[in-house]
Amino acid sequence: MKGSGEATVIVGAQWGDEGKGKIIDALVPKFDLVVRYQGGNNAGHTVVVGTEKFKMHLLPSGVVRKKRNLIGAGVVVDPRVLKQEIDSLAQKGVRIDEKILGIDFRAHVIFPWHNALDAARDAKKGIGTTGRGIGPAYEDRAARSGTRFEEFVDAKVLEKRVKEGWEAKAKAVKMLEGPAIPAAEETIKEYAALSHFLAPFACDASLEINNALEKGRRVLFEGAQGTFLDNDFGTYPYVTSSHPIAGGACTGAGVGPKSITSVEGVAKAYTTRVGSGPFPTELSDGIGSAIREKGAEYGTTTGRPRRVGWLDIPMLRYADYLNGFTGIHLTKLDVLGGLDVLKICTQYEINGKRTNYFPVKADEITGAKPVYVQLQGFPGLPPVEWRKIAKEGEKKGFAALPNEAKVYVEKVGQLVGVPILSVSVGPERSEIIWAKK
Ligand code: GDP
Ligand code: IMO
Ligand code: MG
């Protein structure tokens, strides 16, 4: 790569919803460009500023701070949702124009039949997808029959593409007993209006990112979902259809691996998962429900209750191999306050043998019994106290934390073998403590 730009990838280290939105918002002031590289509106990234809550599904989280934001080639775009999101941000005083947002010509477009196919397939497979049409849109991309954003913004090509594809899709939906899809003419009309609205945003995002890096600018890549939802390396088949891991930033945004200068993982101080699939440290008892309620663990996109469990170190070590973390942002530590004992899974026992590694085979993941270390809990504190601690943290770093909380954070860093870059102690922008340099 020519030039001296910096590129940081922010990746979910678990099963998504780690608090990526909050961390990205905290980091954005140091960057010039924010880029989504994969996924679609299955994502739900929350940014809390004072009493205002922003929930981003497709727009990169940098829009809240009015930076330049790009939706990369690896994203699947539902134009209906994107317009709604742009309109709803405008109501909150954030105006999205072509200076703020660009969408790569190569990104693929989600149509109503993708939603219908997603619903129909999931009713049979039980992956517990978000129902946003993500899998079927990526299937079309892989089958070389998808519609790219460059075609979507050309009204004539769009009409031709819908007419060509509609009948086969309607048949497929019917065969799978999925919900009825709108008539081709209706979709053409709806999408033509959306095409007109979104056309000014179309761009070559890859070229723009590479030009920015050549000029020495700083680029933040915003991962959606998480490492264990990766289509290759996650808990297949209970995964999403894209590549959230750091390598996905290169293929999804169109930059070379040498351009990436750091990779920062985001991990909750415990583990959650929404949807089906194995979850070795899952808590099905009162502790699990207490954490769910205290941490408001309900999906940002679908509102489904999230499954909750203890922190899983073999998972985080594997995530480190896959992503190459420069460091980890540990979020939602405040939520663990008030528990007498905190457990951390350090190993698994699989078929009577202990292992430090996250297994590959589905039956081994399902059969993995977590081996825990126990740590003393720390007090449950009201948000106002955590805010005071975060303020003190500006001078003291993690030493501002209650002692047992500090011990917990240090233990996590030591077990994963990666520096902890920040600890988050509340949803609000200011509720974060940075490691002392
Ligand atoms: P993302 O998908 O990774 O961006 O995460 P989500 O936004 O879906 O879910 C994280 C949730 O936790 C959001 O409601 C955030 O506002 C909230 N959150 C983030 N960090 C913290 C924290 O440190 N403490 C608490 N209590 N909530 C947090
Ligand atoms: P963010 O970016 C948590 C999960 C779904 C399901 C599986 C496949 O907010 O972290 P899909 O609709 O992608 O085909 O569903 O992936 N999933 C997420 N879980 N956070 C997300 O995004 C998710 N996006 C998808 O629940 O289990
Ligand atoms: Mg989320």
Side-chain angles (χ1 to χ4, degrees):
M1 189 201 80
K2 287 174 254 146
S4 56
E6 283 178 38
T8 297
V9 188
I10 301 296
V11 186
Q14 296 155 321
W15 276 296
D17 301 328
E18 298 91 347
K20 299 177 292 295
K22 175 182 166 157
I23 298 301
I24 286 154
D25 172 67
L27 294 172
V28 159
K30 293 193 203 142
F31 290 85
D32 302 297
L33 263 179
V34 185
V35 184
R36 271 283 304 270
Y37 56 87
Q38 44 69 234
N41 58 306
N42 46 351
H45 297 177
T46 316
V47 174
V48 182
V49 186
T51 52
E52 192 76 83
K53 200 181 240 188
F54 298 90
K55 290 183 186 182
M56 260 70 60
H57 298 289
L58 261 167
L59 290 170
S61 300
V63 291
V64 179
R65 295 205 196 242
K66 301 180 180 153
K67 289 275 172 170
R68 172 84 176 149
N69 293 267
L70 296 173
I71 293 179
V75 176
V76 284
V77 176
D78 186 329
R80 300 161 294 179
V81 175
L82 186 55
K83 178 162 191 309
Q84 267 168 23
E85 219 170 310
I86 291 172
D87 290 347
S88 101
L89 274 171
Q91 280 169 12
K92 293 185 173 178
V94 181
R95 204 177 144 255
I96 310 287
D97 58 20
E98 309 92 272
K99 283 199 197 82
I100 295 215
L101 178 68
I103 304 164
D104 200 296
F105 289 119
R106 309 162 182 92
H108 277 245
V109 175
I110 296 182
F111 286 94
W113 47 82
H114 292 127
N115 299 83
L117 287 168
D118 197 2
R121 294 219 178 102
D122 210 50
K124 296 193 168 65
K125 282 194 186 162
I127 304 290
T129 71
T130 58
R132 300 306 192 255
I134 307 297
Y138 279 118
E139 279 173 41
D140 278 353
R141 186 181 77 171
R144 293 157 291 189
S145 58
T147 299
R148 304 213 304 179
F149 205 71
E150 67 161 311
E151 297 170 298
F152 164 77
V153 295
D154 182 327
K156 282 210 182 88
V157 180
L158 171 67
E159 182 173 347
K160 187 167 156 273
R161 304 288 285 129
V162 175
K163 279 189 175 152
E164 270 168 11
W166 189 87
E167 209 176 300
K169 294 296 181 192
K171 251 192 212 158
V173 173
K174 207 169 167 195
M175 245 171 62
L176 290 163
E177 296 163 4
I181 58 167
E185 290 311 319
E186 216 177 295
T187 298
I188 289 168
K189 201 169 156 212
E190 185 185 18
Y191 273 57
L194 291 165
S195 156
H196 182 71
F197 177 78
L198 292 171
F201 297 105
C203 70
D204 183 346
S206 167
L207 183 66
E208 186 174 335
I209 298 163
N210 283 290
N211 279 341
L213 289 170
E214 278 194 17
K215 287 188 187 126
R217 305 240 158 88
R218 304 188 67 180
V219 182
L220 188 62
F221 292 100
E222 173 170 355
Q225 290 79 54
T227 300
F228 291 83
L229 290 171
D230 187 273
N231 194 253
D232 279 320
F233 290 96
T235 46
Y236 195 87
Y238 300 97
V239 293
T240 192
S241 302
S242 69
H243 298 287
I245 59 174
C250 296
T251 54
V255 294
K258 283 197 291 181
S259 299
I260 308 296
T261 48
S262 62
V263 178
E264 300 181 6
V266 185
K268 263 180 205 174
Y270 47 96
T271 311
T272 63
R273 165 162 217 173
V274 56
S276 318
F279 185 168
T281 65
E282 183 164 17
L283 285 163
S284 310
D285 57 7
I287 298 180
S289 356
I291 296 175
R292 180 178 307 110
E293 293 317 309
K294 195 154 170 217
E297 295 296 356
Y298 291 87
T300 310
T301 299
T302 57
R304 291 177 290 176
R306 294 178 184 144
R307 299 157 65 193
V308 174
W310 294 118
L311 190 67
D312 187 327
I313 300 294
M315 273 181 75
L316 295 185
R317 281 198 212 108
Y318 185 41
D320 181 34
Y321 293 162
L322 296 174
N323 295 295
F325 291 144
T326 318
I328 283 180
H329 299 276
L330 197 66
T331 62
K332 303 194 88 162
L333 185 68
D334 54 304
V335 176
L336 292 181
L339 296 172
D340 295 336
V341 167
L342 301 173
K343 290 191 189 180
I344 299 178
C345 165
T346 54
Q347 288 183 304
Y348 301 131
E349 198 181 289
I350 300 171
N351 300 326
K353 276 199 190 141
R354 290 209 172 175
T355 168
N356 294 328
Y357 301 102
F358 194 82
V360 175
K361 291 163 71 190
D363 60 332
E364 292 188 352
I365 304 174
T366 314
K369 290 197 194 82
V371 179
Y372 290 109
V373 284
Q374 284 200 15
L375 277 76
Q376 209 184 315
F378 51 89
L381 300 172
V384 55
E385 288 302 318
W386 284 114
R387 275 197 281 278
K388 271 191 210 156
I389 290 170
K391 188 83 196 139
E392 261 178 64
E394 287 172 17
K395 283 201 195 101
K396 294 191 191 166
F398 301 155
L401 288 167
N403 190 50
E404 296 82 0
K406 186 169 81 78
V407 169
Y408 185 85
V409 171
E410 285 170 353
K411 187 82 184 168
V412 174
Q414 184 200 336
L415 287 168
V416 187
V418 161
I420 305 293
L421 303 170
S422 78
V423 171
S424 190
V425 293
E428 213 274 335
R429 194 178 254 180
S430 62
E431 291 165 331
I432 188 164
I433 304 174
W434 299 94
K436 268 183 103 174
K437 294 233 168 85

